[in-house]
């Protein structure tokens, strides 16, 4: 899932944090951190030139993103005695009906272990979305919330899962070569079938 669908000629990793320098390194101990939002914008700027449908793209946002609150989501009970009553921990939070905002409208895309809200629009507007009326006090969604992005012509796919320190990119080999060669970006070629570098949590 970290690289999106199979079948592309080549793959790469867009690193928001350099790969671990030694086994067991924690991400907090990394030497440098790239601006995730800026890196994604620059990648999308390049990818916009490699699709016939830059104004017809799809974006998935993980429903578990901290800024997206669904009123029917279970809320963990932090009470020390909660372990003695596991049936209570599985219950949705009790919120007065008048205080519940409606669900975020639009389709929900589900894959194993993840569900995503689906957005549609121009690649140049990626991440420039606001919550609809009825969701008071919700912050504007940012480009870093994008978990998947792809154009209607399926020329490429960007997969930005919540756990890795990088985003996966699948595309034609020439597109991957261009991204790797771009001095503004920290992109390295990748084999999606191989084990990828990870930080210790």
């Amino acid at each position: 899932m970290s690289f999106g669908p199979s079948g592309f000629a080549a793959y790469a990793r867009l690193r928001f944090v350099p790969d671990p320098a030694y086994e067991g390194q924690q991400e907090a101990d990394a030497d440098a951190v790239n601006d995730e939002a800026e890196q994604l914008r620059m990648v999308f700027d390049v990818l916009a030139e490699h699709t016939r449908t830059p104004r017809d793209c799809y974006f998935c946002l993980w429903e578990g993103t901290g800024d997206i609150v669904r009123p029917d989501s279970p809320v963990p009970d932090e009470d020390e005695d909660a372990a003695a009553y596991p049936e209570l921990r599985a219950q949705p939070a009790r919120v007065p009906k008048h205080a519940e905002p409606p669900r975020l409208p639009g389709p929900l895309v589900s894959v194993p272990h993840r569900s995503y809200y689906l957005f549609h629009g121009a690649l140049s507007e990626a991440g420039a979305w606001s919550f609809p009326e009825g969701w008071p006090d919700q912050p504007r969604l940012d480009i870093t919330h994008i978990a998947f992005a792809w154009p209607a012509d399926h020329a490429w796919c960007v997969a930005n899962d919540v756990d890795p320190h990088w985003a996966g990119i699948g595309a034609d080999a020439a597109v991957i070569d261009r991204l790797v060669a771009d001095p503004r970006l920290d992109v390295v070629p990748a084999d999606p079938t191989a084990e990828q570098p990870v930080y210790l949590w």
Side-chain angles (χ1 to χ4, degrees):
M1 193 160 56
S2 296
F3 284 97
S6 60
F8 286 107
Y11 291 85
R13 292 187 298 118
L14 169 65
R15 298 185 294 193
F16 306 123
V17 179
D19 290 336
Y22 54 87
E23 186 175 350
Q25 182 181 4
Q26 294 188 343
E27 191 170 321
D29 296 329
D31 292 334
V33 177
N34 294 319
D35 185 324
E36 182 174 346
E38 184 62 22
Q39 290 280 297
L40 283 170
R41 287 190 184 94
M42 288 189 291
V43 162
F44 287 153
D45 284 346
V46 173
L47 292 178
E49 301 176 20
H50 296 278
T51 172
R52 300 185 311 276
T53 59
R55 298 195 57 78
D56 187 9
C57 294
Y58 295 89
F59 311 92
C60 283
L61 279 69
W62 179 43
E63 68 170 348
T65 298
D67 291 341
I68 300 176
V69 179
R70 291 182 60 183
D72 60 344
S73 297
V75 176
D77 188 343
E78 301 300 331
D79 193 314
E80 292 180 3
D81 295 331
Y85 306 97
E87 67 278 5
L88 296 180
R89 296 179 62 84
Q91 298 300 315
R94 300 297 181 211
V95 180
K97 284 292 183 185
H98 67 275
E100 291 184 5
R103 285 191 182 187
L104 193 60
L108 199 64
V109 177
S110 295
V111 297
H113 313 297
R114 292 275 198 276
S115 289
Y116 304 90
Y117 291 110
L118 180 65
F119 287 71
H120 176 241
L123 187 59
S124 61
E125 298 171 357
W129 309 303
S130 295
F131 280 92
E133 292 182 11
W135 281 73
D137 303 322
Q138 291 293 324
R140 184 181 183 87
L141 291 169
D142 186 78
I143 195 170
T144 58
H145 292 103
I146 296 173
F148 288 98
W150 70 95
D153 65 0
H154 296 184
W156 45 260
C157 181
V158 175
N160 185 22
D161 201 7
V162 294
D163 293 327
H165 61 281
W166 47 268
I169 305 170
D172 288 340
V175 177
I176 295 299
D177 288 344
R178 180 177 174 187
L179 292 170
V180 170
D182 193 319
R184 304 170 302 164
L185 299 169
D186 186 4
V187 176
V188 293
D191 177 358
T193 65
E195 186 174 344
Q196 307 301 322
V198 297
Y199 280 94
L200 181 68
W201 286 89

